[in-house]
Amino acid sequence: MNELFPLLEKIKSLNLKFAPDSILVDFEPAIHAAIKKMFPHIPVFDCRFHLGQSCWRKIQGLSTEYRKFDSSISIFLRSLFGLPFLPPNAVSDSFVFDFVSIKPDDSRVTKFCEYLLDTYISESALFPPSIWAEYIHLVYPIPKTIAKAVKAVQTEIYIKMRSTLPKSKITLEREQFLNDKMMLWKSRNIDRHQFVCQVSSKF
């Protein structure tokens, strides 16, 4: 969290008020604790990118099977990456009823699922779905009122101002794809499991 203090000092020197609606961080308990101490009333969310990194590190023992795109283990593991696009209250049911119920009979897959349950899926998990699930929580643009301050200290704290740049064609296409799939699911043209599997293939 040391990188945050120069930013806050710069904001203060510009007479700006730093009052974000929410804060997006990675999956580090220490970071969560520090932010909660500094901003106790501001919601903290974790991003899908870091969730994917964390899960990928845990499936290294299954990397050979993961790369076999037509294997049952690969299909199962890849589909799990669609869970962040569900509403938080739908994640646990989807994991238990849509995935664990069809889990490949492999002790390594079972161990990975137990890790997911304890770390991310259950409400008592270290990082429960309420802080990482649902599309609207995945990207939080930096408020324009502090963009100038962030740019001023960008080289010191290594922040890339992606949110101030126009969205790329690929990003726009992915967002449209996701919105289309959400509409199909909400209109019951595809079921929950189909939705998760289909969005996981795109992201």
Short mmCIF file of all heavy atoms in Angstrom, two decimals, residues 157-189:
data_model
loop_
_atom_site.label_atom_id
_atom_site.label_comp_id
_atom_site.label_asym_id
_atom_site.label_seq_id
_atom_site.Cartn_x
_atom_site.Cartn_y
_atom_site.Cartn_z
N ILE A 157 4.32 5.46 -9.19
CA ILE A 157 3.50 4.38 -8.65
C ILE A 157 3.06 3.38 -9.72
O ILE A 157 2.30 2.47 -9.46
CB ILE A 157 2.27 4.94 -7.93
CG1 ILE A 157 1.39 5.75 -8.88
CG2 ILE A 157 2.66 5.77 -6.74
CD1 ILE A 157 0.11 6.23 -8.25
N TYR A 158 3.56 3.55 -10.95
CA TYR A 158 3.35 2.57 -12.01
C TYR A 158 1.88 2.30 -12.31
O TYR A 158 1.46 1.16 -12.44
CB TYR A 158 4.05 1.25 -11.67
CG TYR A 158 5.50 1.41 -11.34
CD1 TYR A 158 5.94 1.40 -10.03
CD2 TYR A 158 6.43 1.59 -12.36
CE1 TYR A 158 7.28 1.57 -9.73
CE2 TYR A 158 7.78 1.76 -12.06
CZ TYR A 158 8.19 1.74 -10.75
OH TYR A 158 9.52 1.92 -10.44
N ILE A 159 1.11 3.35 -12.38
CA ILE A 159 -0.31 3.20 -12.72
C ILE A 159 -0.50 3.51 -14.19
O ILE A 159 -0.05 4.54 -14.67
CB ILE A 159 -1.19 4.14 -11.87
CG1 ILE A 159 -1.19 3.67 -10.42
CG2 ILE A 159 -2.62 4.17 -12.42
CD1 ILE A 159 -2.03 4.53 -9.52
N LYS A 160 -1.15 2.63 -14.91
CA LYS A 160 -1.47 2.87 -16.31
C LYS A 160 -2.89 3.40 -16.39
O LYS A 160 -3.81 2.76 -15.90
CB LYS A 160 -1.34 1.58 -17.12
CG LYS A 160 0.08 1.08 -17.23
CD LYS A 160 0.13 -0.16 -18.11
CE LYS A 160 1.56 -0.64 -18.27
NZ LYS A 160 1.63 -1.85 -19.13
N MET A 161 -3.04 4.52 -17.02
CA MET A 161 -4.35 5.15 -17.06
C MET A 161 -5.20 4.59 -18.19
O MET A 161 -5.61 5.27 -19.12
CB MET A 161 -4.17 6.66 -17.23
CG MET A 161 -3.50 7.33 -16.05
SD MET A 161 -4.53 7.17 -14.58
CE MET A 161 -5.91 8.17 -15.06
N ARG A 162 -5.48 3.29 -18.12
CA ARG A 162 -6.27 2.66 -19.17
C ARG A 162 -7.67 3.25 -19.25
O ARG A 162 -8.28 3.30 -20.32
CB ARG A 162 -6.36 1.15 -18.91
CG ARG A 162 -5.02 0.43 -19.04
CD ARG A 162 -5.20 -1.05 -18.82
NE ARG A 162 -3.94 -1.76 -18.92
CZ ARG A 162 -3.44 -2.22 -20.06
NH1 ARG A 162 -4.10 -2.03 -21.17
NH2 ARG A 162 -2.29 -2.86 -20.08
N SER A 163 -8.19 3.66 -18.10
CA SER A 163 -9.57 4.13 -18.08
C SER A 163 -9.75 5.47 -18.78
O SER A 163 -10.86 5.88 -19.06
CB SER A 163 -10.07 4.22 -16.64
OG SER A 163 -9.27 5.12 -15.91
N THR A 164 -8.65 6.21 -19.04
CA THR A 164 -8.76 7.49 -19.71
C THR A 164 -8.62 7.34 -21.22
O THR A 164 -8.72 8.31 -21.95
CB THR A 164 -7.69 8.47 -19.20
OG1 THR A 164 -6.39 7.98 -19.55
CG2 THR A 164 -7.78 8.63 -17.69
N LEU A 165 -8.36 6.13 -21.69
CA LEU A 165 -8.18 5.88 -23.11
C LEU A 165 -9.45 5.30 -23.72
O LEU A 165 -10.23 4.64 -23.03
CB LEU A 165 -7.02 4.90 -23.32
CG LEU A 165 -5.65 5.34 -22.80
CD1 LEU A 165 -4.65 4.20 -22.97
CD2 LEU A 165 -5.17 6.59 -23.52
N PRO A 166 -9.68 5.54 -25.01
CA PRO A 166 -10.86 4.95 -25.66
C PRO A 166 -10.78 3.42 -25.61
O PRO A 166 -9.69 2.84 -25.66
CB PRO A 166 -10.74 5.46 -27.10
CG PRO A 166 -9.85 6.66 -27.03
CD PRO A 166 -8.88 6.39 -25.91
N LYS A 167 -11.92 2.78 -25.51
CA LYS A 167 -11.94 1.32 -25.49
C LYS A 167 -11.54 0.78 -26.86
O LYS A 167 -11.93 1.32 -27.89
CB LYS A 167 -13.34 0.82 -25.12
CG LYS A 167 -13.73 1.11 -23.68
CD LYS A 167 -15.11 0.56 -23.38
CE LYS A 167 -15.49 0.84 -21.94
NZ LYS A 167 -16.84 0.32 -21.61
N SER A 168 -10.78 -0.30 -26.85
CA SER A 168 -10.35 -0.90 -28.10
C SER A 168 -11.51 -1.63 -28.76
O SER A 168 -12.54 -1.92 -28.13
CB SER A 168 -9.21 -1.89 -27.85
OG SER A 168 -9.69 -3.02 -27.12
N LYS A 169 -11.34 -1.95 -30.03
CA LYS A 169 -12.37 -2.67 -30.76
C LYS A 169 -12.62 -4.04 -30.13
O LYS A 169 -13.77 -4.48 -30.02
CB LYS A 169 -11.93 -2.85 -32.22
CG LYS A 169 -12.95 -3.58 -33.07
CD LYS A 169 -12.47 -3.73 -34.51
CE LYS A 169 -13.48 -4.50 -35.35
NZ LYS A 169 -13.01 -4.67 -36.75
N ILE A 170 -11.54 -4.70 -29.69
CA ILE A 170 -11.68 -6.02 -29.07
C ILE A 170 -12.49 -5.91 -27.77
O ILE A 170 -13.36 -6.74 -27.51
CB ILE A 170 -10.29 -6.62 -28.78
CG1 ILE A 170 -9.58 -6.94 -30.10
CG2 ILE A 170 -10.42 -7.88 -27.92
CD1 ILE A 170 -8.18 -7.48 -29.92
N THR A 171 -12.20 -4.88 -26.97
CA THR A 171 -12.93 -4.69 -25.72
C THR A 171 -14.41 -4.46 -25.99
O THR A 171 -15.28 -5.04 -25.32
CB THR A 171 -12.36 -3.50 -24.93
OG1 THR A 171 -11.00 -3.79 -24.58
CG2 THR A 171 -13.17 -3.26 -23.66
N LEU A 172 -14.71 -3.62 -26.96
CA LEU A 172 -16.11 -3.34 -27.30
C LEU A 172 -16.82 -4.59 -27.80
O LEU A 172 -17.98 -4.84 -27.45
CB LEU A 172 -16.17 -2.24 -28.36
CG LEU A 172 -15.74 -0.84 -27.90
CD1 LEU A 172 -15.68 0.11 -29.08
CD2 LEU A 172 -16.69 -0.30 -26.83
N GLU A 173 -16.12 -5.39 -28.60
CA GLU A 173 -16.72 -6.63 -29.10
C GLU A 173 -16.99 -7.61 -27.97
O GLU A 173 -18.02 -8.29 -27.95
CB GLU A 173 -15.79 -7.27 -30.14
CG GLU A 173 -15.73 -6.50 -31.45
CD GLU A 173 -14.72 -7.10 -32.42
OE1 GLU A 173 -13.93 -7.97 -31.98
OE2 GLU A 173 -14.71 -6.70 -33.60
N ARG A 174 -16.06 -7.70 -27.02
CA ARG A 174 -16.25 -8.60 -25.88
C ARG A 174 -17.42 -8.14 -25.01
O ARG A 174 -18.20 -8.96 -24.52
CB ARG A 174 -14.97 -8.68 -25.06
CG ARG A 174 -13.87 -9.50 -25.72
CD ARG A 174 -12.63 -9.53 -24.88
NE ARG A 174 -11.65 -10.46 -25.42
CZ ARG A 174 -10.44 -10.64 -24.91
NH1 ARG A 174 -10.06 -9.95 -23.85
NH2 ARG A 174 -9.60 -11.50 -25.45
N GLU A 175 -17.52 -6.84 -24.80
CA GLU A 175 -18.63 -6.32 -23.99
C GLU A 175 -19.96 -6.61 -24.67
O GLU A 175 -20.93 -6.97 -24.00
CB GLU A 175 -18.45 -4.82 -23.77
CG GLU A 175 -17.32 -4.48 -22.80
CD GLU A 175 -17.22 -3.00 -22.53
OE1 GLU A 175 -17.95 -2.22 -23.20
OE2 GLU A 175 -16.43 -2.60 -21.67
N GLN A 176 -20.01 -6.45 -25.98
CA GLN A 176 -21.25 -6.73 -26.70
C GLN A 176 -21.59 -8.21 -26.64
O GLN A 176 -22.75 -8.60 -26.46
CB GLN A 176 -21.12 -6.29 -28.17
CG GLN A 176 -22.41 -6.43 -28.96
CD GLN A 176 -23.53 -5.60 -28.37
OE1 GLN A 176 -23.38 -4.39 -28.17
NE2 GLN A 176 -24.67 -6.23 -28.08
N PHE A 177 -20.56 -9.06 -26.79
CA PHE A 177 -20.75 -10.51 -26.69
C PHE A 177 -21.33 -10.87 -25.32
O PHE A 177 -22.29 -11.64 -25.21
CB PHE A 177 -19.41 -11.21 -26.90
CG PHE A 177 -19.45 -12.70 -26.66
CD1 PHE A 177 -19.83 -13.57 -27.66
CD2 PHE A 177 -19.10 -13.22 -25.42
CE1 PHE A 177 -19.86 -14.95 -27.44
CE2 PHE A 177 -19.12 -14.59 -25.19
CZ PHE A 177 -19.51 -15.45 -26.20
N LEU A 178 -20.75 -10.29 -24.27
CA LEU A 178 -21.22 -10.58 -22.92
C LEU A 178 -22.64 -10.09 -22.70
O LEU A 178 -23.48 -10.80 -22.13
CB LEU A 178 -20.28 -9.93 -21.90
CG LEU A 178 -20.61 -10.15 -20.43
CD1 LEU A 178 -20.64 -11.63 -20.09
CD2 LEU A 178 -19.61 -9.42 -19.54
N ASN A 179 -22.93 -8.89 -23.17
CA ASN A 179 -24.29 -8.37 -23.03
C ASN A 179 -25.31 -9.25 -23.76
O ASN A 179 -26.41 -9.49 -23.26
CB ASN A 179 -24.36 -6.94 -23.58
CG ASN A 179 -23.65 -5.94 -22.68
OD1 ASN A 179 -23.56 -6.15 -21.47
ND2 ASN A 179 -23.14 -4.86 -23.26
N ASP A 180 -24.93 -9.72 -24.94
CA ASP A 180 -25.83 -10.60 -25.71
C ASP A 180 -26.10 -11.90 -24.95
O ASP A 180 -27.24 -12.38 -24.90
CB ASP A 180 -25.22 -10.92 -27.08
CG ASP A 180 -25.19 -9.71 -27.99
OD1 ASP A 180 -25.89 -8.72 -27.70
OD2 ASP A 180 -24.45 -9.75 -29.00
N LYS A 181 -25.05 -12.48 -24.37
CA LYS A 181 -25.21 -13.73 -23.62
C LYS A 181 -26.04 -13.50 -22.36
O LYS A 181 -26.85 -14.36 -21.98
CB LYS A 181 -23.84 -14.31 -23.26
CG LYS A 181 -23.03 -14.76 -24.45
CD LYS A 181 -23.76 -15.83 -25.26
CE LYS A 181 -22.97 -16.27 -26.47
NZ LYS A 181 -23.69 -17.28 -27.28
N MET A 182 -25.85 -12.36 -21.72
CA MET A 182 -26.64 -12.04 -20.53
C MET A 182 -28.12 -11.95 -20.88
O MET A 182 -28.98 -12.44 -20.13
CB MET A 182 -26.16 -10.73 -19.91
CG MET A 182 -24.88 -10.86 -19.11
SD MET A 182 -24.42 -9.29 -18.34
CE MET A 182 -23.15 -9.85 -17.20
N MET A 183 -28.41 -11.34 -22.02
CA MET A 183 -29.80 -11.22 -22.45
C MET A 183 -30.41 -12.59 -22.74
O MET A 183 -31.56 -12.86 -22.39
CB MET A 183 -29.89 -10.33 -23.68
CG MET A 183 -29.58 -8.86 -23.42
SD MET A 183 -30.72 -8.12 -22.21
CE MET A 183 -32.27 -8.26 -23.10
N LEU A 184 -29.62 -13.47 -23.35
CA LEU A 184 -30.10 -14.82 -23.64
C LEU A 184 -30.39 -15.58 -22.35
O LEU A 184 -31.38 -16.32 -22.25
CB LEU A 184 -29.07 -15.58 -24.47
CG LEU A 184 -28.92 -15.15 -25.93
CD1 LEU A 184 -27.75 -15.88 -26.58
CD2 LEU A 184 -30.22 -15.44 -26.70
N TRP A 185 -29.52 -15.41 -21.35
CA TRP A 185 -29.71 -16.10 -20.08
C TRP A 185 -30.93 -15.54 -19.34
O TRP A 185 -31.77 -16.28 -18.85
CB TRP A 185 -28.45 -15.98 -19.24
CG TRP A 185 -28.57 -16.59 -17.87
CD1 TRP A 185 -29.23 -17.75 -17.54
CD2 TRP A 185 -28.05 -16.07 -16.65
NE1 TRP A 185 -29.13 -17.99 -16.19
CE2 TRP A 185 -28.41 -16.98 -15.62
CE3 TRP A 185 -27.29 -14.95 -16.33
CZ2 TRP A 185 -28.05 -16.78 -14.28
CZ3 TRP A 185 -26.92 -14.75 -15.00
CH2 TRP A 185 -27.30 -15.66 -13.99
N LYS A 186 -31.01 -14.21 -19.29
CA LYS A 186 -32.13 -13.59 -18.57
C LYS A 186 -33.47 -13.90 -19.22
O LYS A 186 -34.50 -13.98 -18.54
CB LYS A 186 -31.91 -12.08 -18.49
CG LYS A 186 -30.76 -11.68 -17.57
CD LYS A 186 -30.56 -10.18 -17.54
CE LYS A 186 -29.42 -9.80 -16.60
NZ LYS A 186 -29.18 -8.33 -16.58
N SER A 187 -33.46 -14.08 -20.53
CA SER A 187 -34.71 -14.41 -21.24
C SER A 187 -34.95 -15.92 -21.27
O SER A 187 -35.89 -16.39 -21.91
CB SER A 187 -34.66 -13.86 -22.66
OG SER A 187 -33.60 -14.45 -23.40
N ARG A 188 -34.05 -16.68 -20.62
CA ARG A 188 -34.16 -18.14 -20.49
C ARG A 188 -34.03 -18.88 -21.82
O ARG A 188 -34.55 -19.98 -21.98
CB ARG A 188 -35.47 -18.52 -19.79
CG ARG A 188 -35.57 -17.96 -18.38
CD ARG A 188 -36.79 -18.47 -17.65
NE ARG A 188 -36.84 -17.94 -16.29
CZ ARG A 188 -37.78 -18.25 -15.40
NH1 ARG A 188 -38.76 -19.08 -15.75
NH2 ARG A 188 -37.76 -17.73 -14.19
N ASN A 189 -33.32 -18.27 -22.74
CA ASN A 189 -33.02 -18.96 -23.99
C ASN A 189 -31.81 -19.88 -23.83
O ASN A 189 -31.61 -20.78 -24.65
CB ASN A 189 -32.76 -17.95 -25.11
CG ASN A 189 -34.04 -17.29 -25.58
OD1 ASN A 189 -34.96 -17.96 -26.04
ND2 ASN A 189 -34.13 -15.97 -25.45
#
